[in-house]
Amino acid sequence: MTKKIFPMHFFLGALLLFISCNNPQNHIDRYALVHRQLPTCNAPDSLSPFSVGNGDFAFTADVTGLQTLNDYHKNALPLVTQSNWGWHTAPNINNYTYEQTWSYVDTYGRTAPYSATMKGEAAGYLRANPHRLHLGRVGFKNAAEEFAEIDKSDLSNINQTLDIWQGIIKSSFAFNGQQVDVETCAHPEIDQIAVRLQAADLQQSALAIGFDFPYASLQWGKDAADWGNTEKHMTTILESGQDFVSLKRQMDATVYLVDIRWQGEAEFKNIAEHAFVLFPKEKERFQFTCTFSPEKQPQHADTEATFTKAKDYWEQFWNSGGAVDLSKSTHPQALEMERRIVLSQYLTAIQCSSSLPPQETGLTANSWFGKFHLEMHWWHAVHFALWGRPEMLEKSMGWYEKILPVAREKAEQQGYDGVRWPKMTSPDGHSSPSSVGEFLIWQQPHPIYFAELLYRTTNDKKLLERYKNIVFQSADFMASYAHWVEAENRYVLGPPLIPAQEVHKALETMNPAFELSYWSFGLKTAQKWRERLGLPAEKKWQHVIDHLSTLPINNGFYQNVESDPRTFQDPFHRNDHPTLLGACGMLPNDSVDVAVMRKTLEQVMVSWNWERTWGWDYPLVAMTAARVGRPDIAIEALLMDVPKNTYLNNGHNYQADRLPLYLPGNGGLLSAIAMMAAGWDGAPDDAAPGFPKDGQWIVEYEGLRRLP
């Protein structure tokens, strides 16, 4: 049913609220909601290309609907084609091993190896490999000039819309005196794009479709392509016919296929090494598909079937799950907030709802060699369960099951029980060497949180059975990681430890507030799972729960870490993430003094260095503000006018040149909005408890679930 929160000073506001909360016929017009937020453009925008995808595959296009303006975009937001199976590993000719990167660290009298030695070639190789591929560029070329590249100055009369209701990029532009219309979509089930072209005279336009294939980039950076080193890879025509061609791509041990099929008369040519063109001979209409696959016999669908599948999929997506309508609000930024919410749902669906945890830049650009950071998985994907799409979160749970042996081995190497989840990793689950990431621990309770959210959506005991191994082994590690200090009758966390606020040193840091809170939540939740399964409480876990250190306080404020309680005395300690707030916001810590946390929040707002934060920090702050009764600060945080809270025309959360998009910001926004609208366990029993009751916010919502 639809729920609304009306300005309390409106006459009969309470009556209207009662009616709207109890009238099952009063639904949000989702078609209108989505269509008023469709992104459009009428000129090239190097930072805001549009993407289509299906969660495991994405294709990013410029204003032509294809990847035509490669040079224009490469230094801003590159145009890439990526899949979750598309990885490459350079030959390990020197037989580098992880042992070569180990630093041995004293852990309360026990020496434990951490892959933290960054000097030497072994660390560089293991950090960069494997890395994610740019599978191939599909863009227009100028057939009238020997298939030359097209420049943005060659285009005019541009009009483009990303129709997220149907999952179609609709592009129109003039080239060589012809107005050309292009529609581009991605198949929702296979790694395929479909394209439809239309013009008064396609031959007069002299547009050809180019297919260009790079080597994999071994460099840190957003561009996954290396357009040099042509001798290091091969592109071979396996089979061709009147209306299709099948290409084999090979670089070292990586092999994949590219299947191109078209409807209508056309000529396919190999114009250079790793470069091909398809030149339509039809006058008015032409269409084609391009499928990428690691299989020897890839699945494919024809163009019309792909467009129909995409349309059906996206209409079903928008007509199910959660929705939030802010159109009746009078706050001057309400529609901007709504724009961010709508576009973030689309972007995370095509970038983060995959069989692997997503990289911070999804399938749109590379970051950290295309590897994913498990501490960010919460911010990418928790919202799926809160917005009534738990299956999109659950898709990646199988990967945690798959890497259990690797995570168990890592815990054993360091003398711990259970499994230690990696931080920066790839499909194989091995940790990438890092002097920082190897000491982070806040990713450890994440799988427990994910499993708990999934259980809350169904209360199905089968789900408890399926994920109990992940939950229990995560808890085993957490309990063994906590160190018992006999003289103080308590457990402490670290050292060695680097908290989520990464400004603290690994060998000196003890008891960060956020991690203490997350340890408590994770272990208590694991005990609940044992109870639900009819199992006795685990004594070791309970002893840690009962004796875990309390959150550090100094001068009446919560502190980031106990070992250096100068959060509000030393400006350096107010850089990076204000994660001390997450102890009561993102997490439901029942031992937090709400008055002290509210005071801490208010101090963070006036004293933090917001120029040194990240995109998910603003939702983090908003969730704490909601829990402690400051919804005005929640709105202030979500709409804060600072560079890393920028949302581009395409909806991406911009951070900086090296990170022109940052999906944890989008996912975090959706989690915060779901919480502010639907509430949280123990929230005030009214509609939209996390939004201000100041007369400016009318929040209609449906299909949302509350946060724990």
Side-chain angles (χ1 to χ4, degrees):
M1 86 176 56
T2 301
K3 298 184 180 180
K4 301 181 182 180
I5 175 66
F6 286 87
M8 297 307 291
H9 68 271
F10 279 11
F11 181 65
L12 296 180
L15 176 60
L16 290 172
L17 178 60
F18 173 82
I19 292 171
S20 65
C21 285
N22 292 276
N23 182 359
Q25 302 303 316
N26 193 352
H27 294 297
I28 291 172
D29 184 342
R30 295 184 179 220
Y31 180 89
L33 168 64
V34 172
H35 275 79
R36 65 174 168 262
Q37 301 299 353
L38 299 183
T40 63
C41 67
N42 55 21
D45 184 344
S46 63
L47 275 176
S48 202
F50 296 155
S51 300
V52 290
N54 59 29
D56 277 297
F57 168 81
F59 178 86
T60 299
D62 57 38
V63 291
T64 69
L66 295 180
Q67 298 165 335
T68 304
L69 307 178
N70 190 58
D71 287 345
Y72 172 68
H73 279 270
K74 68 180 181 181
N75 293 321
L77 204 163
L79 307 173
V80 302
T81 309
Q82 291 193 319
S83 171
N84 269 326
W85 52 258
W87 295 80
H88 169 256
T89 299
N92 187 2
I93 58 177
N94 294 307
N95 297 315
Y96 296 124
T97 66
Y98 283 95
E99 287 78 4
Q100 292 173 275
T101 69
W102 281 359
S103 297
Y104 291 91
V105 179
D106 178 72
T107 308
Y108 292 99
R110 185 183 74 253
T111 301
Y114 285 79
S115 189
T117 298
M118 299 308 295
K119 294 180 180 179
E121 294 181 354
Y125 175 85
L126 294 169
R127 191 168 169 81
N129 288 280
H131 41 267
R132 205 182 296 257
L133 293 170
H134 176 9
L135 298 175
R137 171 191 172 203
V138 184
F140 290 115
K141 295 184 186 294
N142 189 349
E145 296 184 4
E146 298 181 346
F147 304 111
E149 299 294 326
I150 294 172
D151 187 80
K152 67 184 181 70
S153 61
D154 299 326
L155 307 174
S156 61
N157 200 26
I158 293 167
N159 189 353
Q160 187 179 53
T161 299
L162 175 57
D163 185 350
I164 59 176
W165 183 262
Q166 299 186 86
I168 300 173
I169 303 172
K170 299 177 179 178
S171 312
S172 182
F173 58 92
F175 181 74
N176 281 345
Q178 293 290 311
Q179 192 71 26
V180 182
D181 296 323
V182 182
E183 291 186 322
T184 312
C185 75
H187 196 287
E189 298 165 5
I190 58 178
D191 296 352
Q192 174 180 291
I193 61 166
V195 181
R196 297 190 290 215
L197 313 180
Q198 183 171 337
D201 192 335
L202 277 173
Q203 290 194 52
Q204 180 64 33
S205 74
L207 281 175
I209 301 104
F211 300 87
D212 300 276
F213 301 98
Y215 189 64
S217 174
L218 297 173
Q219 303 301 313
W220 190 102
K222 54 197 174 186
D223 194 348
D226 175 357
W227 293 102
N229 290 307
T230 57
E231 75 286 352
K232 288 187 176 182
H233 56 121
M234 295 187 297
T235 310
T236 308
I237 297 178
L238 287 182
E239 189 178 3
S240 64
Q242 186 176 357
D243 59 359
F244 78 97
V245 65
S246 179
L247 305 175
K248 177 184 177 182
R249 294 276 299 129
Q250 182 162 2
M251 57 185 77
D252 304 308
T254 298
V255 178
Y256 64 96
L257 302 183
V258 183
D259 186 85
I260 304 163
R261 295 175 183 260
W262 55 92
Q263 291 80 51
E265 187 179 355
E267 180 183 6
F268 188 84
K269 297 177 62 175
N270 185 183
I271 61 171
E273 196 171 13
H274 312 301
F276 305 83
V277 293
L278 179 63
F279 184 41
K281 297 298 182 67
E282 297 291 330
K283 180 177 175 60
E284 295 181 356
R285 293 180 177 84
F286 185 75
Q287 54 192 29
F288 71 94
T289 61
C290 183
T291 310
F292 301 87
S293 173
E295 306 297 333
K296 292 183 178 179
Q297 294 182 331
Q299 290 182 285
H300 58 80
D302 66 30
T303 306
E304 291 307 320
T306 302
F307 274 94
T308 298
K309 281 272 192 180
K311 178 177 179 292
D312 291 347
Y313 173 85
W314 285 105
E315 288 185 1
Q316 190 277 334
F317 174 87
W318 292 113
N319 280 311
S320 61
V324 173
D325 185 329
L326 301 177
S327 62
K328 297 181 178 66
S329 299
T330 60
H331 190 283
Q333 290 181 281
L335 284 181
E336 168 59 17
M337 181 86 84
E338 185 185 87
R339 182 186 78 89
R340 297 181 183 189
I341 293 169
V342 169
L343 295 183
S344 291
Q345 288 180 77
Y346 175 77
L347 292 172
T348 54
I350 69 170
Q351 311 270 0
C352 303
S353 64
S354 64
S355 53
L356 294 177
Q359 66 170 322
E360 295 185 2
T361 49
L363 297 166
T364 295
N366 263 11
S367 53
W368 287 271
F369 307 100
K371 295 185 177 182
F372 33 93
H373 295 180
L374 288 196
E375 85 280 17
M376 288 293 99
H377 196 185
W378 196 102
W379 297 95
H380 282 283
V382 155
H383 67 89
F384 289 129
L386 305 179
W387 284 75
R389 301 180 180 113
E391 69 282 356
M392 289 187 160
L393 169 62
E394 192 168 10
K395 282 175 67 177
S396 60
M397 290 295 284
W399 178 80
Y400 284 94
E401 292 176 306
K402 180 181 177 181
I403 71 158
L404 276 169
V406 178
R408 188 178 302 112
E409 180 183 12
K410 184 176 182 65
E412 290 174 354
Q413 287 171 345
Q414 297 178 344
Y416 298 116
D417 298 332
V419 294
R420 181 165 192 165
W421 305 110
K423 190 273 192 196
M424 173 181 162
T425 187
S426 56
D428 62 13
H430 287 97
S431 292
S432 297
S434 171
S435 59
V436 174
E438 282 297 276
F439 297 102
L440 294 182
I441 62 169
W442 66 286
Q443 71 272 29
Q444 303 307 322
H446 281 352
I448 299 177
Y449 199 113
F450 303 156
E452 176 68 8
L453 282 185
L454 293 172
Y455 175 74
R456 284 166 62 115
T457 66
T458 64
N459 292 321
D460 186 350
K461 190 171 181 178
K462 291 180 181 178
L463 193 142
L464 296 174
E465 291 289 348
R466 176 171 180 184
Y467 296 124
K468 67 181 181 182
N469 205 25
I470 288 176
V471 170
F472 294 166
Q473 292 198 53
S474 296
D476 283 340
F477 169 80
M478 293 167 63
S480 67
Y481 181 87
H483 177 69
W484 176 247
V485 181
E486 183 71 33
E488 300 173 15
N489 196 40
R490 65 168 180 158
Y491 286 95
V492 298
L493 302 182
L497 183 157
I498 292 181
Q501 190 207 22
E502 296 177 8
V503 301
H504 299 275
K505 296 179 180 179
L507 302 184
E508 300 174 5
T509 300
M510 184 182 73
N511 282 344
F514 173 70
E515 282 78 356
L516 284 170
S517 188
Y518 211 177
W519 243 240
S520 176
F521 173 83
L523 290 171
K524 288 178 180 177
T525 302
Q527 290 285 46
K528 285 182 185 177
W529 275 55
R530 293 188 64 85
E531 180 181 347
R532 291 166 183 160
L533 287 166
L535 300 172
E538 174 58 52
K539 293 181 180 179
K540 170 66 174 177
W541 302 353
Q542 196 60 46
H543 197 259
V544 176
I545 293 168
D546 294 340
H547 296 86
L548 193 62
S549 297
T550 58
L551 271 59
I553 294 179
N554 186 26
N555 291 330
F557 298 107
Y558 283 113
Q559 303 294 304
N560 270 313
V561 299
E562 178 186 316
S563 50
D564 191 352
R566 296 180 296 158
T567 301
F568 299 107
Q569 297 167 329
D570 180 358
F572 177 75
H573 290 115
R574 294 191 296 278
N575 289 320
D576 203 49
H577 312 296
T579 47
L580 74 170
L581 299 180
C584 179
M586 171 187 166
L587 301 172
N589 193 318
D590 54 9
S591 64
V592 163
D593 185 316
V594 173
V596 174
M597 185 59 77
R598 185 185 303 115
K599 180 181 174 183
T600 304
L601 166 70
E602 292 163 353
Q603 186 65 21
V604 165
M605 292 300 291
V606 299
S607 67
W608 211 262
N609 182 3
W610 296 107
E611 301 297 316
R612 294 286 301 276
T613 51
W614 295 74
W616 58 270
D617 292 333
Y618 315 104
L620 174 83
V621 173
M623 288 188 281
T624 300
R627 280 201 205 257
V628 302
R630 289 298 308 269
D632 56 319
I633 291 180
I635 294 296
E636 180 185 350
L638 290 180
L639 293 171
M640 190 179 294
D641 186 15
V642 289
K644 289 188 178 179
N645 199 35
T646 299
Y647 283 75
L648 302 170
N649 178 52
N650 58 12
H652 277 301
N653 178 207
Y654 178 86
Q655 301 295 285
D657 175 66
R658 71 174 188 150
L659 282 176
L661 69 149
Y662 189 65
L663 287 157
N666 298 93
L669 169 69
L670 293 175
S671 292
I673 290 295
M675 176 191 183
M676 292 163 64
W680 55 94
D681 292 351
D685 189 20
D686 58 7
F691 279 85
K693 312 298 190 291
D694 60 1
Q696 295 189 86
W697 293 95
I698 300 176
V699 183
E700 298 180 329
Y701 62 94
E702 61 191 17
L704 302 178
R705 300 187 68 89
R706 59 176 46 205
L707 203 70

